[in-house]
Amino acid sequence: HLATIIFIFTALISQSQSLETIIQKGHELAVLAVAVSPDSNYVATGSRDKSAKLWELSTGREVRSFLGHQFSVNSLAFSSDGKYLITGNGDQTAKVWEVATGKEILSVHPDKERLTDVVFDPKGKFFVTVGFGGKAVVWEFPYKKKLKEFPADGYTGSSGGIYLAVSANGEWLAIGEDNSVANVYKTATWENAY
């Protein structure tokens, strides 16, 4: 009788907890952006299919998708601790995601045109967005308070975009513009240094 009771109990549990199989097949359209996590365990990809995906480097397995953008994911970056992923998009938004869960932490709409780059401060105090709307915006993290705006030209040359870099010590922000100029700012004062 004990075997019958165990069988019935197992059957009841299996009916109450259905298994769901998810087939992970990668992106459906071109990959536009890639970033490797600071611990070198993951790579994130952004695509024209409006998604970002997290991949485990040791196995090549797709870990999760980050869904919520309305257009192509043009840029992405990990925070220096690897806990967050920021994505920039053609729908003029940047979103910050919790890597461990895939949960959207915050979203900002800094521009009236598509974003071309996003970057985190290595110290985790701010992130920066830039796009074809003529400005780079510095946001306090995680509060999404706008700290500073800088002019940024995306149309003078080839209209190839505007790109960002923050130094490893977090003291410098560089903005490479389409007008053949790179501006460098001191993050302590936000003064243009070069």
Side-chain angles (χ1 to χ4, degrees):
H1 293 310
L2 182 60
T4 305
I5 292 171
I6 292 173
F7 176 75
I8 291 170
F9 181 71
T10 305
L12 289 172
I13 289 176
S14 66
Q15 287 178 353
S16 66
Q17 296 179 348
S18 62
L19 294 175
E20 182 179 342
T21 302
I22 299 172
I23 298 172
Q24 298 165 333
K25 59 183 181 178
H27 289 289
E28 296 175 10
L29 297 172
V31 172
L32 303 175
V34 294
V36 177
S37 65
D39 63 7
S40 299
N41 289 328
Y42 301 97
V43 66
T45 54
S47 171
R48 287 191 194 279
D49 67 9
K50 307 175 192 174
S51 73
K53 293 184 181 286
L54 184 71
W55 307 85
E56 188 175 53
L57 285 173
S58 63
T59 64
R61 179 179 71 91
E62 181 183 325
V63 177
R64 76 181 33 84
S65 293
F66 303 91
L67 305 172
H69 283 295
Q70 301 303 311
F71 292 97
S72 300
V73 176
N74 302 323
S75 58
L76 46 76
F78 283 97
S79 60
S80 61
D81 60 8
K83 292 182 180 180
Y84 302 100
L85 180 72
I86 186 170
T87 54
N89 178 277
D91 65 9
Q92 303 98 29
T93 63
K95 296 180 182 290
V96 177
W97 312 85
E98 191 175 60
V99 171
T101 64
K103 179 183 174 187
E104 182 182 319
I105 302 299
L106 64 87
S107 180
V108 294
H109 192 273
D111 225 321
K112 294 180 181 176
E113 297 193 40
R114 76 178 169 96
L115 299 182
T116 58
D117 206 3
V118 291
V119 68
F120 268 111
D121 159 42
K123 296 178 183 175
K125 295 180 180 179
F126 63 87
F127 63 93
V128 187
T129 60
V130 70
F132 283 111
K135 61 185 175 183
V137 182
V138 181
W139 305 87
E140 185 178 14
F141 183 72
Y143 309 107
K144 74 178 190 179
K145 176 185 172 191
K146 194 181 293 187
L147 297 176
K148 188 71 177 172
E149 280 187 15
F150 302 103
D153 185 352
Y155 284 115
T156 299
S158 64
S159 297
I162 309 162
Y163 299 96
L164 302 166
V166 177
S167 63
N169 62 9
E171 294 178 10
W172 303 95
L173 167 65
I175 303 172
E177 300 179 34
D178 196 52
N179 59 2
S180 305
V181 172
N183 283 294
V184 180
Y185 298 90
K186 295 178 184 181
T187 61
T189 62
W190 300 115
E191 291 178 16
N192 187 325
Y194 307 103

